[in-house]
């Protein structure tokens, strides 16, 4: 599958700021998503903008994905609802429409939502925030292909920022890539024959 991946916002047109900074973190998650998608055999284009104004920032990634003819567009964000929040506000995935003729977006978004919920980001009172529709957001309405915005966690919510830090961006990226692909990264176990023979020799 041809997948365009974007980290939201940039250092001039910044995202949200709380206990963590959205732009700083979405770049890390985006890099891991790309790394693991490639390992899973996909063709990936990084459509993350450099430093530019807010409108150009959005147009840049969407145009790149449209011109390339991506099958799927994934945009990594973090969310914010309050100035500060003592507790847990979970992950949410956004798609343009659940009832249009593009179904890949809600299929993949549901898998991502379930996988991230499975890591512990289940939201208020263990209830998933679920996959939401949004027809306003430029990244969803201007992309020609199935597109998904992932709001990884809320930057001001103490509990899930702690969980995000504990798991690390690489684990989150791997989980997203595996959910997109609907398969797991194979862990190759390499045997060190010298160590094994040493061990055997000592056992005798
Ligand atoms: Zn954002």
């Amino acid at each position: 599958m041809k997948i365009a991946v974007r980290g939201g916002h940039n250092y001039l047109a910044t995202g949200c700021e709380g206990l963590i900074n959205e732009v700083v973190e979405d770049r890390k998650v985006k890099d891991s998503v790309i790394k693991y998608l490639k390992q899973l055999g996909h063709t990936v284009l990084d459509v993350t903008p450099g430093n530019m104004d807010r409108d150009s920032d959005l147009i840049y990634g969407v145009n790149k994905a449209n011109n390339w003819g991506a099958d799927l567009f994934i945009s990594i964000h973090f969310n914010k609802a309050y100035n500060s929040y003592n507790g847990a506000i979970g992950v949410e995935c956004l798609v343009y429409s659940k009832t249009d003729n593009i179904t890949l977006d809600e299929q993949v978004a549901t898998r991502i939502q379930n996988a991230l919920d499975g890591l512990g980001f289940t939201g208020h009172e263990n209830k998933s925030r679920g996959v939401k529709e949004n027809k306003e957001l430029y990244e969803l309405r201007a992309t020609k292909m199935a597109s998904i915005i992932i709001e990884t966690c809320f930057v001001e919510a103490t509990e899930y920022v702690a969980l995000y830090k504990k798991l690390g961006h690489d684990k989150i990226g791997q989980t997203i890539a595996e959910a997109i692909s609907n398969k797991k990264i194979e862990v190759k176990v390499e045997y060190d024959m010298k160590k094994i023979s040493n061990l055997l020799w000592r056992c005798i």
Side-chain angles (χ1 to χ4, degrees):
M1 197 157 45
K2 286 174 77 174
I3 307 173
V5 182
R6 177 178 184 270
H9 317 277
N10 68 71
Y11 292 100
L12 280 183
T14 53
C16 50
E17 174 89 54
L19 300 165
I20 49 176
N21 177 286
E22 181 177 12
V23 179
V24 171
E25 300 306 326
D26 75 31
R27 292 317 191 249
K28 293 182 197 167
V29 174
K30 175 266 297 178
D31 285 341
S32 293
V33 169
I34 291 173
K35 177 178 77 177
Y36 289 114
L37 281 176
K38 285 181 177 168
Q39 284 185 28
L40 287 158
H42 298 287
T43 310
V44 186
L45 183 67
D46 187 343
V47 299
T48 305
N51 289 336
M52 55 185 79
D53 67 75
R54 195 165 296 276
D55 290 339
S56 312
D57 172 279
L58 286 168
I59 293 165
Y60 176 89
V62 168
N63 278 356
K64 247 183 130 175
N66 284 344
N67 293 338
W68 185 53
D71 301 309
L72 180 66
F73 176 91
I74 299 285
S75 188
I76 312 285
H77 287 255
F78 285 68
N79 216 340
K80 187 174 183 182
Y82 308 100
N83 282 333
S84 63
Y85 189 87
N86 195 12
I89 319 177
V91 171
E92 60 191 38
C93 291
L94 301 152
V95 296
Y96 179 74
S97 167
K98 293 184 192 177
T99 50
D100 60 6
N101 55 4
I102 300 178
T103 54
L104 181 67
D105 49 356
E106 52 271 19
Q107 283 169 23
V108 174
T110 303
R111 290 205 298 267
I112 296 171
Q113 182 74 44
N114 290 341
L116 292 176
D117 285 345
L119 290 179
F121 293 103
T122 36
H124 295 288
E125 296 160 354
N126 280 343
K127 193 171 173 295
S128 172
R129 296 178 69 79
V131 177
K132 295 183 174 169
E133 275 184 343
N134 191 311
K135 292 202 166 69
E136 309 297 316
L137 295 167
Y138 185 81
E139 291 176 286
L140 298 179
R141 67 182 160 84
T143 39
K144 292 177 187 160
M145 69 295 301
S147 56
I148 300 166
I149 291 177
I150 304 169
E151 296 284 0
T152 310
C153 67
F154 283 66
V155 294
E156 78 281 30
T158 52
E159 239 177 80
Y160 285 166
V161 169
L163 178 62
Y164 169 75
K165 285 182 176 171
K166 187 179 136 219
L167 293 167
H169 63 87
D170 202 57
K171 176 72 182 166
I172 308 280
Q174 182 179 343
T175 302
I176 293 170
E178 289 176 339
I180 291 169
S181 312
N182 208 12
K183 63 182 179 191
K184 299 272 182 200
I185 302 272
E186 278 178 45
V187 182
K188 287 200 185 92
V189 181
E190 282 177 24
Y191 297 102
D192 186 334
M193 288 316 291
K194 206 172 155 195
K195 270 192 194 151
I196 291 172
S197 59
N198 267 342
L199 214 70
L200 286 173
W201 184 79
R202 261 185 261 147
C203 293
I204 298 168

